[in-house]
Amino acid sequence: MSKIKQVMRMMLQVDSRGKRPSNRKIAETLGLYKGTVNDYVKRIEADDFGIEALLGLDDPVLERRLCPGSAAYSDDRFAYMSDRMDYYKEELKRPHMTLQLLYEEYRTAVAKPYSYSQFCFHIAQHTKASAPPTAVLTEYREGGREMMVDFAGDKLHVVDADTGEVTPVELFVSTLPASDYPFAMAVASQRIEDFLLAHRKALEFYGGVPATVTPDNLKSAVIKADRYQPEINKIYEDFCNHYGMVVTPARARKPRDKALVENHVRILYNRVYAALRDQIFHSIEELNESIFELMDRHRQKRMKQYNVTRQERFLAIDKPALRPLPVTPFEIKCYGEYTVQKSSYIYLSQDKRYYSMPMRLIGQKVKVIYTPTLLTAYHNGNPVAVHSRAGKDRYVTQPDHLPSYHDDYKELSPAKYIARATRISPLLGQVMDRLFQSNPLTPPERFYKSADGILHLARSCDSSLLETACNTAIEYSTCTYIFMKKFISTKGKGLVASSSEPDAPSNSNTRGKNYYV
């Protein structure tokens, strides 16, 4: 507008003959192209205001009068496209549809089509014009109000020092939008354990807790995305409750809900990824040392928009408004429901271990909450058992949970069985001893049921018959429950009959029973 005003001032200059300078002279004096001056003069002379009135207008008003905009959209080709813009917009939402395909259809439908680049330009302009405006003003964000979190799309890598195997790792990024103060660290994965570890480290780095946290819709944060009522991961919700934060997930496919952390990911591609491109790291810890060093430099760079560093803005805006960290760190809580087995235990597959429950709950369901260190069981809302998850025992037991006979069974041993049998009869003690020694390669627990059966037979039969059965079992080296049961049930009839038969004639080829002892 300053050039146009200079043209108008020269148009007001007249010589002694009452004539103004020519357009060529004005162009030479102002250093403008003659055609440009001609265009300016035509617009000025065509305006009803007159030169002096136009010179009194402010630049924006003058620009609107003399340069109302390009007349390019008066083209008939654009009129055709503008009528079909909504159609193009809907078609582009369909699977596998491309601008190239739409353009080919458009080109065959009109006699004088736009070029492909001009076609794409008009569609892009329509998309921008129809996009809803944003009312998010970063300058007016409340300090300590929000933390935005995200994972970078590109991955970093660590290399096994022994095998050379390359393992991709994730970069977690968070920022406090009021001061745009970032934190970043590498973690092994996006699983809930690593996700919460990164959150905890971020909060410890900031030295306080914001009111809300805005994550993406990854499964570690949101089980089921919904525009109005997303279903938050129970463990993540427990974490935020522990720290006193409210979870406000970003809308699915709406990255502008957390635009500042998305922008920080882009910045870190340049300031972290590029800086580490030629370095090899053999552990995540080693990688994070370099990341933290680069992040310190990034936070201390002066921001052109504010002429201060992000660290200075954080200390002035966010830091005073953050709430203090809780005294105790968060432990991940897992939830489950289990039926108490007949043995009075529940089986936790994560540990591959059994945990005892009160005997009165056998066959009933208990709800279990377990952390990395502790397991707590509830029945009808009341705690009924607490166990430590430390140790390696397969069975974790509280003695008062189990029936009275459990201790007897738990402390069984061959010596106890032999002692119990000996108290009934010394011969029965010998039978029991030979039972456990019959196969040294078999664990003694394998013989416990047989031993119980022999003791049951001893309590239910005549003492003389028991003595005969024990003598016969020892003599024939068949100290088993099956032999004892058959002998007592038949009262040894088969063996007694065979013993009453006349002895076989002596023969040098007869080996006799002692041969098999």
Side-chain angles (χ1 to χ4, degrees), residues 406-456:
H406 180 271
D407 289 338
D408 294 337
Y409 182 81
K410 181 180 177 182
E411 297 173 2
L412 291 178
S413 67
K416 289 194 173 185
Y417 273 108
I418 294 171
R420 289 169 63 184
T422 303
R423 286 197 294 270
I424 297 173
S425 166
L427 282 176
L428 185 62
Q430 295 182 38
V431 170
M432 195 69 72
D433 181 46
R434 295 195 180 197
L435 170 69
F436 284 106
Q437 293 182 12
S438 60
N439 190 348
L441 298 179
T442 302
E445 290 81 5
R446 184 73 175 271
F447 298 108
Y448 285 175
K449 286 191 176 296
S450 294
D452 287 333
I454 293 175
L455 292 175
H456 175 72

Side-chain angles (χ1 to χ4, degrees), residues 160-461:
D160 190 285
D162 298 324
T163 64
E165 180 183 2
V166 178
T167 303
V169 296
E170 304 283 349
L171 184 71
F172 171 89
V173 183
S174 69
T175 188
L176 301 178
S179 60
D180 201 18
Y181 194 58
F183 170 82
M185 72 175 291
V187 291
S189 69
Q190 294 188 17
R191 292 194 304 268
I192 186 66
E193 297 85 356
D194 297 319
F195 188 52
L196 297 188
L197 170 65
H199 274 66
R200 181 170 63 82
K201 292 293 185 181
L203 295 175
E204 290 173 356
F205 169 77
Y206 293 134
V209 181
T212 65
V213 57
T214 303
D216 209 341
N217 282 272
L218 72 165
K219 288 299 183 183
S220 293
V222 179
I223 298 297
K224 183 178 180 181
D226 186 88
R227 182 182 180 89
Y228 301 105
Q229 192 171 355
E231 184 179 347
I232 309 299
N233 186 316
K234 178 63 176 174
I235 299 177
Y236 187 51
E237 197 169 41
D238 286 344
F239 175 89
C240 293
N241 289 337
H242 179 82
Y243 283 92
M245 297 187 296
V246 177
V247 186
T248 57
R251 291 171 293 172
R253 299 182 295 278
K254 299 290 183 181
R256 64 174 176 268
D257 287 354
K258 50 183 181 62
L260 284 178
V261 73
E262 296 276 355
N263 182 60
H264 241 111
V265 170
R266 180 187 60 80
I267 294 173
L268 296 188
Y269 284 153
N270 300 326
R271 297 188 178 178
V272 173
Y273 281 66
L276 302 178
R277 66 189 183 280
D278 294 327
Q279 298 187 40
I280 297 176
F281 302 95
H282 299 300
S283 67
I284 292 182
E285 293 74 19
E286 184 181 342
L287 172 60
N288 274 327
E289 287 182 9
S290 297
I291 291 175
F292 295 157
E293 182 179 347
L294 292 171
M295 289 300 296
D296 283 338
R297 296 179 192 173
H298 167 59
R299 286 185 286 260
Q300 293 170 9
K301 282 184 178 291
R302 196 163 297 278
M303 304 170 72
K304 294 180 181 179
Q305 184 178 1
Y306 303 106
N307 199 30
V308 295
T309 66
R310 288 179 172 83
Q311 188 172 30
E312 291 169 337
R313 281 177 60 81
F314 166 73
L315 294 175
I317 299 173
D318 275 314
K319 181 66 174 177
L322 293 175
R323 290 176 286 106
L325 292 164
V327 177
T328 57
F330 174 77
E331 284 191 315
I332 292 179
K333 294 181 179 179
C334 297
Y335 300 81
E337 189 172 25
Y338 301 86
T339 301
V340 181
Q341 301 175 4
K342 291 183 178 180
S343 60
S344 198
Y345 286 86
I346 62 169
Y347 179 67
L348 189 64
S349 58
Q350 288 79 356
D351 295 353
K352 296 183 178 179
R353 303 170 75 190
Y354 293 86
Y355 293 90
S356 68
M357 296 291 128
M359 179 184 63
R360 58 185 172 82
L361 299 179
I362 289 176
Q364 300 188 45
K365 291 186 179 294
V366 293
K367 292 183 178 180
V368 172
I369 300 176
Y370 53 94
T371 69
T373 58
L374 202 66
L375 179 145
T376 306
Y378 298 84
H379 182 256
N380 293 334
N382 299 314
V384 293
V386 178
H387 292 286
S388 171
R389 294 181 71 191
K392 297 182 179 180
D393 292 338
R394 185 168 174 78
Y395 288 86
V396 182
T397 305
Q398 288 185 13
D400 58 335
H401 286 169
L402 305 178
S404 57
Y405 56 79
H406 180 271
D407 289 338
D408 294 337
Y409 182 81
K410 181 180 177 182
E411 297 173 2
L412 291 178
S413 67
K416 289 194 173 185
Y417 273 108
I418 294 171
R420 289 169 63 184
T422 303
R423 286 197 294 270
I424 297 173
S425 166
L427 282 176
L428 185 62
Q430 295 182 38
V431 170
M432 195 69 72
D433 181 46
R434 295 195 180 197
L435 170 69
F436 284 106
Q437 293 182 12
S438 60
N439 190 348
L441 298 179
T442 302
E445 290 81 5
R446 184 73 175 271
F447 298 108
Y448 285 175
K449 286 191 176 296
S450 294
D452 287 333
I454 293 175
L455 292 175
H456 175 72
L457 291 172
R459 290 192 294 269
S460 60
C461 78

Side-chain angles (χ1 to χ4, degrees), residues 48-244:
D48 297 335
F49 258 39
I51 296 177
E52 292 183 356
L54 291 173
L55 281 171
L57 298 176
D58 291 332
D59 284 0
V61 180
L62 179 63
E63 182 178 11
R64 188 179 71 240
R65 291 190 67 86
L66 298 183
C67 305
S70 172
Y73 295 146
S74 62
D75 191 335
D76 292 339
R77 295 180 297 178
F78 181 75
Y80 174 83
M81 275 198 67
S82 62
D83 292 339
R84 297 176 61 81
M85 281 299 185
D86 290 336
Y87 165 75
Y88 293 145
K89 183 178 179 181
E90 292 302 318
E91 286 298 297
L92 286 172
K93 294 179 181 179
R94 298 177 63 178
H96 316 304
M97 180 55 70
T98 64
L99 279 169
Q100 180 66 41
L101 181 57
L102 279 180
Y103 176 70
E104 291 174 1
E105 294 176 356
Y106 157 78
R107 188 174 60 179
T108 59
V110 297
K112 191 178 178 182
Y114 281 123
S115 67
Y116 177 68
S117 60
Q118 195 70 10
F119 176 83
C120 294
F121 169 78
H122 287 305
I123 289 182
Q125 289 295 98
H126 176 76
T127 303
K128 290 180 182 178
S130 60
T134 177
V136 177
L137 304 177
T138 57
E139 295 88 340
Y140 300 107
R141 289 185 183 272
E142 183 182 348
R145 177 69 182 173
E146 183 181 11
M147 179 174 73
M148 297 178 179
V149 300
D150 198 10
F151 280 104
D154 295 344
K155 301 182 188 300
L156 296 167
H157 299 83
V158 295
V159 180
D160 190 285
D162 298 324
T163 64
E165 180 183 2
V166 178
T167 303
V169 296
E170 304 283 349
L171 184 71
F172 171 89
V173 183
S174 69
T175 188
L176 301 178
S179 60
D180 201 18
Y181 194 58
F183 170 82
M185 72 175 291
V187 291
S189 69
Q190 294 188 17
R191 292 194 304 268
I192 186 66
E193 297 85 356
D194 297 319
F195 188 52
L196 297 188
L197 170 65
H199 274 66
R200 181 170 63 82
K201 292 293 185 181
L203 295 175
E204 290 173 356
F205 169 77
Y206 293 134
V209 181
T212 65
V213 57
T214 303
D216 209 341
N217 282 272
L218 72 165
K219 288 299 183 183
S220 293
V222 179
I223 298 297
K224 183 178 180 181
D226 186 88
R227 182 182 180 89
Y228 301 105
Q229 192 171 355
E231 184 179 347
I232 309 299
N233 186 316
K234 178 63 176 174
I235 299 177
Y236 187 51
E237 197 169 41
D238 286 344
F239 175 89
C240 293
N241 289 337
H242 179 82
Y243 283 92

